[in-house]
Amino acid sequence: MSGKQRIAASAVYLLLVALAFAFLVPVAMMLSGSFKPDDQVLVQAGRLSRLFAAEFSWFNYRDVFARVPFARYLFNSAFISLCVVAGGLLVNSLAAYAFARLHWPGRDRLLLLVVALMIIPLEAIAVPLFYEVTLLGWRDTYWVQIIPFVANAFSIYLFYTFFLGLPRELEEAARIDGAGPWRIFFRIVAPNAKPVFATVAILSFLTQWSALLWPLMVTHSETVRPLPLGMATFYSLPPLQWGDIFAFGVMMVTPVLLIFVLFQRWFVQGVATTGVKG
Amino acid sequence: MAGVELKSISKCFENGTQALKDFGAVIEDGELVVLVGASGCGKSTLLRLLAGLENVSEGEILIDGRNVNRDTPQQRNVAMVFQNYALYPHMTVRDNIAFPLRMSRIPKQRITTRVGEIADILQLSELMERRPAQLSGGQRQRVAMGRALVRDPSVFLLDEPLSNLDASLRAQIRAEISRIQKRLGTTTLYVTHDQTEAMTLGDRVVVLDYGELQQIGTPEELYQHPQNSFVARFIGSPGMNILPCELIDSGDGEVILHLGGQQISLLLEGRVYQELVPYFGQKLYTGIRPEALSCAPTHGSFALNTKVEAVEFLGYETLLYLSFPGVAQLRLEQPIIARLSGQHYKRNGDMAVFYVEPDALYFFDQAGRNILSAGNSGPAPVVGVLS
């Protein structure tokens, strides 16, 4: 490596470290604040030297559980997110496979419609969707937070592009070996599409885990309330205690981080293969 | 095992491409037939039709006398080796080979025994727990064959199985395929674009061009008696030289061959003479195999004056690219190639005389058909050269 290259590489690394620092500081602040007494949280928030608490305490965490049914929110979010992810992986992958490999009338036009649907945000259809679920009598249930989000145009498109890239001969070989369409999908296609399954799982889990608008519109009881809505309610619950809010935040973010770490390898591979921005 | 009959098979794809036109052939039980032709000639399509991966537009496919047009690939009991092997990347060698048996719901004990037998035949026993990514090209090829052979198929289909291998491995695996096919006696269709593979492997060879059957026969028949100029050019390495010529009748069985600005008198055998009579005075093509051009005169041979355009020394032989002096290269449509054993010290631009035995000549009409009837469609039995 020449001198110029070394300087350029050092500059890039320096920039990356600065960026990482900028992104990590708020997380570190939240984590540190969650262990501090409430009166010290805001006072020390701007000082890096005081990042680590002088006194370490679980008090804020205990407080969250005492003030709101956090475990219930956590269960609700986990249940809803996992149902959407599991259902979504099945439904969207099968739909994408039908688009990528099967021949049926109107396939290309419907695919175009699916692609067009990707640009419509939830906010645009939230009110009509609200009327629809009200008509169905689904409000304030788990299902109202699950069923409308299982089929997802973006997920279908991700699966579709990945399946197009799989060698067709694998499926043809399986057909000759005696496998039917379902077996081909579950025994040959799906095991070779782990990266895209991981990508879709993580992306839809993240979307669902942080969903606020829709639960706010369709739920009112605590029994079906997910974490983000629980946190929004918690904000407005007097007295305002920042330590508690930080503790709530830490507990809300931890499962997402764990899932990302677990599936990181496949996720990165999937993002690279499908050309999705992470 | 079973024989295969293809009756007037046509295949037209949705986009209008006609891949096969009225193709017919009978493949005997236990025979190894090689389908050969240039890329896009329809040979792989034919294999896919036979496998049941595509449906025929017209015609009938019979396996063991039974029409299988509407059968699924599994019902046809055919096995196929793909060009890229199509091994399941997430499975071990053992699971890859066992997959067809599992799909047929065969008891586990029998699967284990059968997979073991195939592994022994193909010398794969040491590799059973590896995944395809951990295998070399040759090993992958053997696994693909194992997966195809494991359920004792009626017909074994191989789609250019050696095209991804290097030259030395290709020769080795080719011999292995031949050995295994002879040992198991499975009816086999083998697709390749390499005429050397076709000639060395096939009991019979099918030559295809633009979806049409050109000729079917043993390698010797194809080499000695090509039915048309396409087969003559395709079979042989290099293929036959096809040169424009004209035959002028001189009477009493004697004809003058106008070739490359030269006039050669030939005394034809009566039977051959009679067959050529309708073509006297017409523009024809004569065929000369590169190996039929010799530097040394032999009894009865005639001389051809040529100019050396290029020399390719291959070690055990030399290829000379020639033209006729004073005749534009374009009029010849392709260079004349002479294949001489050993090394020859000719240079580009040198004049060279080559000698050809008259019975090494073939004659094709304007449409490329071999003029001489089936019995005579070999080298024309010319009696001698007059001048």
Side-chain angles (χ1 to χ4, degrees), chain B residues 266-323:
Chain B
L266 302 171
L267 187 61
L268 299 178
E269 195 182 76
R271 184 170 47 96
V272 178
Y273 179 84
Q274 286 307 320
E275 285 196 312
L276 289 173
V277 165
Y279 300 95
F280 288 155
Q282 291 183 19
K283 288 205 177 304
L284 297 176
Y285 290 92
T286 187
I288 307 170
R289 291 258 174 227
E291 45 276 24
L293 289 157
S294 162
C295 285
T298 53
H299 178 70
S301 63
F302 62 85
L304 275 178
N305 297 313
T306 65
K307 184 179 162 193
V308 178
E309 299 289 346
V311 180
E312 280 181 5
F313 174 59
L314 302 174
Y316 58 96
E317 65 180 13
T318 305
L319 297 180
L320 297 175
Y321 292 79
L322 312 166
S323 65

Side-chain angles (χ1 to χ4, degrees), chain A residues 18-167:
Chain A
L19 276 174
F21 188 73
F23 279 104
L24 284 175
V25 162
V27 180
M29 290 278 189
M30 180 176 73
L31 188 65
S32 115
S34 72
F35 294 112
K36 288 177 182 173
D38 200 58
D39 57 341
Q40 291 180 29
V41 174
L42 286 187
V43 178
Q44 297 176 349
R47 299 181 203 163
L48 278 180
S49 56
R50 299 287 182 85
L51 192 61
F52 299 102
E55 325 161 33
F56 180 89
S57 157
W58 290 99
F59 177 80
N60 295 331
Y61 289 87
R62 277 205 308 270
D63 214 19
V64 170
F65 281 95
R67 293 174 66 195
V68 287
F70 183 86
R72 184 77 208 181
Y73 297 160
L74 186 68
F75 170 80
N76 291 345
S77 269
F79 179 72
I80 292 163
S81 301
L82 289 175
C83 284
V84 170
V85 168
L89 288 181
L90 185 72
V91 168
N92 298 319
S93 62
L94 285 170
Y97 186 68
F99 280 121
R101 287 291 196 254
L102 307 182
H103 295 276
W104 39 279
R107 181 189 70 169
D108 295 344
R109 283 181 189 176
L110 200 60
L111 178 64
L112 208 66
L113 193 69
V114 169
V115 174
L117 281 176
M118 288 197 308
I119 59 168
I120 301 176
L122 173 67
E123 288 77 3
I125 56 160
V127 175
L129 198 60
F130 176 79
Y131 282 124
E132 192 179 328
V133 296
T134 305
L135 277 174
L136 291 167
W138 285 2
R139 276 171 57 190
D140 210 31
T141 60
Y142 283 127
W143 309 118
V144 76
Q145 299 177 76
I146 295 169
I147 294 185
F149 303 101
V150 168
N152 182 284
F154 185 57
S155 302
I156 291 175
Y157 189 70
L158 283 186
F159 277 119
Y160 170 76
T161 51
F162 191 90
F163 291 155
L164 281 185
L166 277 182

Side-chain angles (χ1 to χ4, degrees), chain B residues 32-244:
Chain B
L32 196 162
V33 169
V34 180
L35 299 167
V36 70
S39 296
C41 72
K43 53 193 190 298
S44 289
T45 302
L46 185 61
L47 219 58
R48 292 171 62 80
L49 291 172
L50 201 49
L53 296 173
E54 304 278 354
N55 294 320
V56 293
S57 305
E58 279 174 52
E60 275 185 276
I61 298 174
L62 290 97
I63 297 179
D64 213 9
R66 190 171 59 85
N67 184 319
V68 296
N69 278 21
R70 290 176 180 277
D71 286 4
T72 61
Q74 192 189 20
Q75 287 167 333
R76 295 177 189 211
N77 193 26
V78 296
M80 186 161 167
V81 173
F82 291 81
Q83 189 171 358
N84 61 3
Y85 315 132
L87 297 178
Y88 309 128
H90 59 296
M91 294 185 195
T92 60
V93 169
R94 185 185 303 285
D95 290 336
N96 262 284
I97 297 176
F99 188 78
L101 301 180
R102 290 196 181 125
M103 291 300 105
S104 305
R105 299 183 193 285
I106 287 170
K108 273 187 180 173
Q109 188 56 44
R110 271 189 61 202
I111 293 178
T112 311
T113 315
R114 182 70 183 142
V115 170
E117 285 170 10
I118 290 293
D120 284 344
I121 293 174
L122 295 166
Q123 295 157 12
L124 289 168
S125 305
E126 306 292 313
L127 311 169
M128 296 305 268
E129 304 313 321
R130 291 202 197 166
R131 286 176 195 267
Q134 298 166 308
L135 303 174
S136 68
Q139 289 167 339
R140 284 181 205 181
Q141 209 281 337
R142 288 203 308 245
V143 177
M145 283 191 62
R147 191 178 65 187
L149 291 169
V150 75
R151 62 193 163 95
D152 202 10
S154 304
V155 183
F156 191 27
L157 309 170
L158 297 114
D159 189 3
E160 307 209 29
L162 308 183
S163 58
N164 291 335
L165 305 178
D166 60 54
S168 62
L169 197 57
R170 205 178 300 168
Q172 185 191 329
I173 303 274
R174 194 165 65 206
E176 218 165 288
I177 289 175
S178 181
R179 175 180 64 84
I180 292 164
Q181 197 275 338
K182 292 282 176 289
R183 177 173 166 182
L184 301 174
T186 311
T187 309
T188 302
L189 262 90
Y190 185 108
V191 160
T192 181
H193 62 266
D194 180 346
Q195 65 88 31
T196 312
E197 242 171 75
M199 297 291 276
T200 50
L201 264 179
D203 294 327
R204 283 192 301 155
V205 178
V206 175
V207 183
L208 277 164
D209 188 35
Y210 288 110
E212 286 184 81
L213 175 66
Q214 299 297 313
Q215 190 170 351
I216 179 165
T218 62
E220 294 78 19
E221 281 168 353
L222 262 60
Y223 183 80
Q224 299 287 355
H225 311 290
Q227 281 176 4
N228 56 45
S229 56
F230 177 83
V231 177
R233 275 196 182 121
F234 200 85
I235 300 296
S237 180
M240 188 184 283
N241 297 301
I242 307 288
L243 310 166

Side-chain angles (χ1 to χ4, degrees), chain A residues 27 30 209 227 247-259:
Chain A
V27 180
M30 180 176 73
W209 190 258
L227 273 174
F248 197 116
V250 169
M251 289 192 287
M252 190 172 152
V253 164
T254 306
V256 181
L257 284 175
L258 280 177
I259 285 176

